Amino acid sequence: GCAQKYIVKNYFYYYLFKFSAALGEEIFYITFLPFTYWNIDHSVSRRMIIIWSIVMYIGQVSKDILKWPRPLSPPVVKLEMRTDAEYGMPSTHAMAATAISFSFLLATVNQYKYPFELGLVAAFVFSTLVCLSRLYTGMHTVLDVIGGALISAVLLVLLYPAWDMIDHLLLTSPFCPLLSIVVPLVLCYNYPKLDYYSPTRGDTTTILGAGAGATVGFWLNNQYAAPAYTSENFQLGFPLITSKIVVVVLARFFVGIFVVLLTRQLMKSVVLGMLGYQYKFPIGDLEARRRLEVEVPYKFITYSSVGFSATVIVPLLHQLLGLM
């Protein structure tokens, strides 16, 4: 399809919900999740990434099994076009926002000193803004959004009692690296088939690849005692944030993001070049890049490298630069 023409009458709502919609997309995941690992707490980051991977896989697969259409346009005006080829139910933006915000709350409430009510309100506001943005941008119905939030909440309730056990197995099991790669790859190659191309398989591969690379990094860090960030450097709710702490936090973030984005660009070029050579297609051939034998390895290798880089390479670089 093509973008519709529209007139913005309220710029406050327009920019608020455009920004809120971005909180459920790659730009947010690739910044916020690593930030928690580098500057807040390893255990918090691990739990969020595992929950995020599971919730998003179930949401993406559910879309292509249920095959509920997105809202008709007209009457709605769609402000996004990339995801328009996907089905609507459930809203994975709503699922991701609910999972990330409330898993962050559950993972930090017992470790850091801050009012639970404040954290609850923040999680609710965050997830609500993302959910409302899907209605404002015309990408989902109310039922899609409510369904996504409810599914995510149910999964959180079911997984929360097993958090510590899952975390322990991922850190200590000798089979963790193998299973972290094989299981997501099997799921990606056996993704539900559609009659036409949809970006859901590629997005799912991206998410599972990033989760797989990060999980392998978690395991390696635990096995070989890689440098850990001291939780004293960043405490939620402490009374005074010194300029030194702010500088260290920002330095960690910008150094880390630079390495992560560089890794993504390099691996994308290398993997696409190798696959193009093997399957005889130019790198710019979009149709060829959508084929199963190209899309899955290209996105899985690229983003598993990103996840591994964020959890292993970046911490080592932080130590080398004296940012620990």
Side-chain angles (χ1 to χ4, degrees):
C2 58
Q4 294 173 279
K5 293 182 179 179
Y6 55 86
I7 298 174
V8 179
K9 295 182 178 180
N10 190 314
Y11 280 95
F12 173 77
Y13 287 143
Y14 178 78
Y15 288 113
L16 172 66
F17 291 124
K18 289 286 282 185
F19 173 77
S20 301
L23 298 178
E25 296 173 359
E26 180 183 354
I27 185 66
F28 174 73
Y29 303 143
I30 209 169
T31 53
F32 178 71
L33 294 176
F35 179 88
T36 62
Y37 190 79
W38 301 328
N39 289 307
I40 299 181
D41 192 286
H42 283 189
S43 64
V44 172
S45 181
R46 289 197 303 268
R47 284 161 171 75
M48 283 201 302
I49 288 173
I50 297 304
I51 292 293
W52 170 67
S53 300
I54 294 172
V55 164
M56 289 298 286
Y57 174 76
I58 291 174
Q60 296 285 75
V61 169
S62 298
K63 282 185 178 184
D64 290 340
I65 291 176
L66 294 174
K67 298 183 178 179
W68 287 20
R70 289 185 182 270
L72 293 177
S73 176
V76 305
V77 176
K78 294 185 177 180
L79 305 186
E80 299 175 11
M81 295 309 300
R82 179 188 176 275
T83 57
D84 194 37
E86 299 179 5
Y87 288 107
M89 175 61 132
S91 166
T92 46
H93 272 71
M95 293 183 70
T98 304
I100 288 177
S101 58
F102 284 93
S103 62
F104 181 82
L105 171 65
L106 293 172
T108 58
V109 70
N110 292 323
Q111 296 190 44
Y112 299 100
K113 296 179 181 179
Y114 68 90
F116 174 77
E117 295 78 9
L118 178 62
L120 186 63
V121 169
F124 180 78
V125 169
F126 178 90
S127 56
T128 300
L129 281 174
V130 175
C131 289
L132 290 177
S133 75
R134 308 317 289 156
L135 304 179
Y136 183 87
T137 56
M139 302 311 296
H140 285 285
T141 65
V142 174
L143 188 59
D144 295 342
V145 169
I146 293 175
L150 286 177
I151 292 171
S152 192
V154 169
L155 289 172
L156 267 175
V157 170
L158 294 176
L159 291 170
Y160 180 71
W163 265 18
D164 291 338
M165 181 186 70
I166 294 172
D167 191 50
H168 178 73
L169 287 174
L170 290 178
L171 292 178
T172 61
S173 173
F175 302 105
C176 173
L178 179 63
L179 293 177
S180 297
I181 299 297
V182 172
V183 172
L185 270 177
V186 170
L187 293 175
C188 293
Y189 275 108
N190 290 278
Y191 193 83
K193 293 180 174 60
L194 297 177
D195 296 331
Y196 64 93
Y197 177 79
S198 166
T200 48
R201 184 184 65 203
D203 291 346
T204 304
T205 305
T206 294
I207 293 164
L208 293 185
T215 302
V216 172
F218 298 150
W219 183 86
L220 277 175
N221 288 341
N222 186 68
Q223 295 297 313
Y224 297 101
Y229 300 95
T230 56
S231 58
E232 292 81 7
N233 286 343
F234 188 89
Q235 285 285 344
L236 299 177
F238 61 80
L240 181 63
I241 300 179
T242 66
S243 58
K244 180 182 178 182
I245 292 175
V246 172
V247 169
V248 170
V249 166
L250 291 176
R252 287 177 181 175
F253 176 72
F254 286 115
V255 167
I257 287 300
F258 174 78
V259 173
V260 163
L261 294 179
L262 181 63
T263 300
R264 183 179 66 168
Q265 190 59 41
L266 285 176
M267 293 305 298
K268 180 179 178 180
S269 301
V270 170
V271 176
L272 269 180
M274 294 174 64
L275 290 170
Y277 177 80
Q278 180 177 353
Y279 293 107
K280 312 300 181 187
F281 68 86
I283 292 179
D285 188 342
L286 184 60
E287 289 301 316
R289 287 163 57 173
R290 290 175 170 178
R291 286 154 41 188
L292 174 68
E293 65 272 20
V294 174
E295 184 176 58
V296 170
Y298 146 54
K299 294 206 167 183
F300 191 88
I301 295 173
T302 297
Y303 283 90
S304 61
S305 300
V306 167
F308 184 84
S309 175
T311 53
V312 176
I313 306 300
V314 171
L316 291 175
L317 184 58
H318 284 169
Q319 185 187 39
L320 183 65
L321 295 175
L323 298 174
M324 299 303 294

